[in-house]
DNA sequence: GTTGACTTTGACCAACCAGTCAACTATAGT
DNA sequence: ACTATAGTTGACTGGTTGGTCAAAGTCAAC
């Protein structure tokens, strides 16, 4: 029925990249359209508002994270549980370092950036990001539970620890972004990983 | 010479509060002026630009942090070094919980919020925040060095550990903000503190 | 009491913002 | 080939943005 196009996806991809390298408020609908090679009228044909676009962007990135991105890459069961968490950190360091090379600056976490900027203003977006962080924490917790079962980790409050590990991840990314130095992130990550092993 | 007023300080205070509870881009000069009970012309008499105001806001908050705020409160030498770090975390949890009560939402860290939003767009502000984080890490590192000297902590890379601890702090604040739950922050903080003691 | 530095005011600007809309076009299913 | 449906276009809106300015007002120092 009717014609079809990939304009919607182009808009999502463009917005994702622009939001990531700058911020939500500093990127206008106009600019997103230009990058996506789409007229503003088309934008509002696909999305009722900038907020709805943002929701779609978040969904899309989260899907990528799980299918082929950092989560998929790190948490494969081909290595022991704690090694997966280590891989999660190291992979993220790699990702930020890569972006620093390409764009000349550390861009931070897609989710963390949006969370910091918007979650105090838009409850719908906040909840979506809340869910994603919860899901991410669940993945980590399951890994910790496995580590306890295998005997690589003493019995701890895995839920709190998983949340703390995720927080640490967000923290080192934010610090790397502010210092504009991805190498520092690696050092902090290693210090954190050491601590996890230490408490094992 | 000429008349004097506290308008400049009123502007700084208003901006600090508005930026904290929303965001840099979402708060206009207009709104800041209204809150400060000042006309826009006066604003631009005191500050050449919104950015310069922001720089002044950051300076002012950082001064507060060190004179009577969280840094001053936590790092007094009346308790052993590791206890000071514990107090730093617990105090920050308290602060976020207080704000959640007052404003109905977890507002996050003054510096962390600005860092996440602006450091990828404005190099001057980024550098200022970079310096503040460095200074904060230095305070923590000195405390860790002291802990090692006293024998409360085994010999580690104190610089990396200090940065990691600061990152963890920023991370748990960001998570608390996104989940809009200051209690969760307390749980994560305790999990983190446990780990620090564990590695001691 | 006059001077001169400092503060206040309100009107003003161009640029940009998110969002609207009616007309137009291309196409997939019939 | 027809038609319903989906995609495209560009002109438009009302409101807001950061920032400017000339003029008026106020006070401390001399």
């Amino acid at each position: 029925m009717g014609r079809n196009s990939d304009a919607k996806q182009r808009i999502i991809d463009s917005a994702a990249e622009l939001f990531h390298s700058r911020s939500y408020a500093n990127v206008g609908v106009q600019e997103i359209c230009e990058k996506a090679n789409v007229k503003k009228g088309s934008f509002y044909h696909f999305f009722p508002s900038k907020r709805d676009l943002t929701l779609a962007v978040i969904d899309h990135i989260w899907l990528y994270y799980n299918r082929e991105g950092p989560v998929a890459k790190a948490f494969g069961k081909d290595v022991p549980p704690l090694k997966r968490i280590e891989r999660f950190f190291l992979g993220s360091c790699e990702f930020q370092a890569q972006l620093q090379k390409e764009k000349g600056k550390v861009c931070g976490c897609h989710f963390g950036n949006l969370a910091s900027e918007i979650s105090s203003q838009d409850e719908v977006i906040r909840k979506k990001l809340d869910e994603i962080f919860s899901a991410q924490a669940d993945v980590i917790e399951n890994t910790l539970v496995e580590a306890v079962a295998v005997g690589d980790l003493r019995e701890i409050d895995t839920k709190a620890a998983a949340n703390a590990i995720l927080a640490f991840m967000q923290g080192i990314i934010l610090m790397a972004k502010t210092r504009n130095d991805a190498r520092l992130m690696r050092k902090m990550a290693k210090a954190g990983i050491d601590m996890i092993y230490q408490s094992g």
Side-chain angles (χ1 to χ4, degrees), chain A residues 16-23 103 105 107 113:
Chain A
E17 197 176 329
L18 288 170
F19 288 161
H20 190 217
S21 69
R22 302 232 293 286
S23 75
K103 304 217 175 193
K105 64 187 174 195
C107 290
N113 292 352

Side-chain angles (χ1 to χ4, degrees), chain A residues 31-134:
Chain A
E31 191 180 354
I32 295 169
C33 291
E34 280 163 16
K35 191 178 168 77
N37 222 339
V38 149
K39 294 297 181 311
K40 202 189 261 193
S42 283
F43 179 98
Y44 284 98
H45 168 70
F46 292 111
F47 304 100
S49 70
K50 190 187 179 186
R51 173 215 265 182
D52 288 273
L53 181 254
T54 308
L55 255 14
V57 166
I58 295 172
D59 272 332
H60 177 253
I61 298 174
W62 180 227
L63 215 69
Y64 166 78
Y65 262 53
N66 283 299
R67 286 229 261 252
E68 26 171 343
V71 173
K73 277 180 188 166
F75 291 97
K77 303 209 170 189
D78 53 314
V79 294
L82 289 188
K83 200 78 190 168
R84 286 171 224 159
I85 289 173
E86 188 178 341
R87 201 162 54 173
F88 186 46
F89 277 97
L90 264 28
S92 297
C93 291
E94 192 71 25
F95 178 63
Q96 294 294 333
Q98 186 68 25
L99 263 150
Q100 188 177 17
K101 262 188 204 165
E102 283 172 23
K103 304 217 175 193
K105 64 187 174 195
V106 178
C107 290
C109 170
H110 294 270
F111 304 123
N113 292 352
L114 289 172
S116 180
E117 182 180 357
I118 321 183
S119 68
S120 58
Q121 301 170 49
D122 189 309
E123 187 62 12
V124 178
I125 293 181
R126 204 216 95 233
K127 272 198 175 158
K128 168 135 271 169
L129 291 165
D130 184 347
E131 285 165 21
I132 286 177
F133 281 141
S134 291

Side-chain angles (χ1 to χ4, degrees), chain A residues 120-158:
Chain A
S120 58
Q121 301 170 49
D122 189 309
E123 187 62 12
V124 178
I125 293 181
R126 204 216 95 233
K127 272 198 175 158
K128 168 135 271 169
L129 291 165
D130 184 347
E131 285 165 21
I132 286 177
F133 281 141
S134 291
Q136 226 165 325
D138 283 346
V139 173
I140 297 172
E141 193 193 347
N142 291 338
T143 310
L144 290 180
V145 168
E146 210 176 312
V148 172
V150 175
D152 287 349
L153 190 68
R154 68 193 172 86
E155 288 204 23
I156 53 169
D157 181 347
T158 51

